[in-house]
Amino acid sequence: SKWLMLPIFLASLLVGAVSIERGIYLRKRAVIPGGLVFQLGRLANDDAPFDPRAAYRICQQYPSTAARVLRAMLEKVGRPHGEIETTVTEICDREAERLYANVQWLTLSAAVTPLMGLLGTVWGMIRAFHDTTQLAPGQDKADYLAQGIYTALVTTLGGLVVAIPAAILAHYFESKIQTLFHQIRDLSDQLSPQLEPYEGRVRFARDEAADGSLVPDMKRTIPAEAELG
């Protein structure tokens, strides 16, 4: 059963690495930068009419999950409100999958390592009982069996030591991701009323600048009735 401790040890390294990586990546200032929220709030509270182009440039300055969601929303300026909501929902789902990707390794570790530990224990006990049948008459089978069972139970302990923290961390990160996306949706809901005056009046396009970057451009649409008139 000792060889089964190797995958449990490797799983512990995976849990540690993923926990550190997600802990850094899921910091609020990395997912929803404070500067992004502040700049958009100042833009919305300005006395001048809300400028989607300025909001788009602000999102470009703070690359993050929240910025990608809001950029997708701003690219739909001028479209019906329902289409904008659908776009936000779709981009949120895609971004959530990205954030959940590595958390799934924690969930997997929490489920598999106890089973590996149990497998090691069962295998070790089978070996211990088998070895006692090979002892010479008169040898103390009880002590020999107790030592074998003790060794076998170590794998179960190792599996639980890895699985319990992995399960706790997976639940913590999942809850954190849900909280962050609630805040992103709140941010998009606050921005949505600022875009309603542009519905059906402008088309928001991304043009390529001289340096190869994408810059926003708003062009007025001409209703079909006006063209025919």
Side-chain angles (χ1 to χ4, degrees), residues 8-28:
I8 293 176
F9 174 72
L10 294 177
S12 69
L13 296 180
L14 176 64
V15 169
V18 171
S19 300
I20 294 173
E21 186 269 342
R22 287 293 88 180
I24 294 174
Y25 192 83
L26 292 179
R27 293 174 299 171
K28 182 176 180 179

Side-chain angles (χ1 to χ4, degrees), residues 134-172:
Q134 309 301 315
L135 295 177
Q139 286 187 294
D140 190 351
K141 294 184 178 181
D143 288 345
Y144 194 89
L145 185 62
Q147 182 180 359
I149 294 175
Y150 163 77
T151 303
L153 288 174
V154 171
T155 57
T156 295
L157 175 63
L160 292 175
V161 167
V162 176
I164 293 173
I168 294 173
L169 288 168
H171 178 72
Y172 167 74

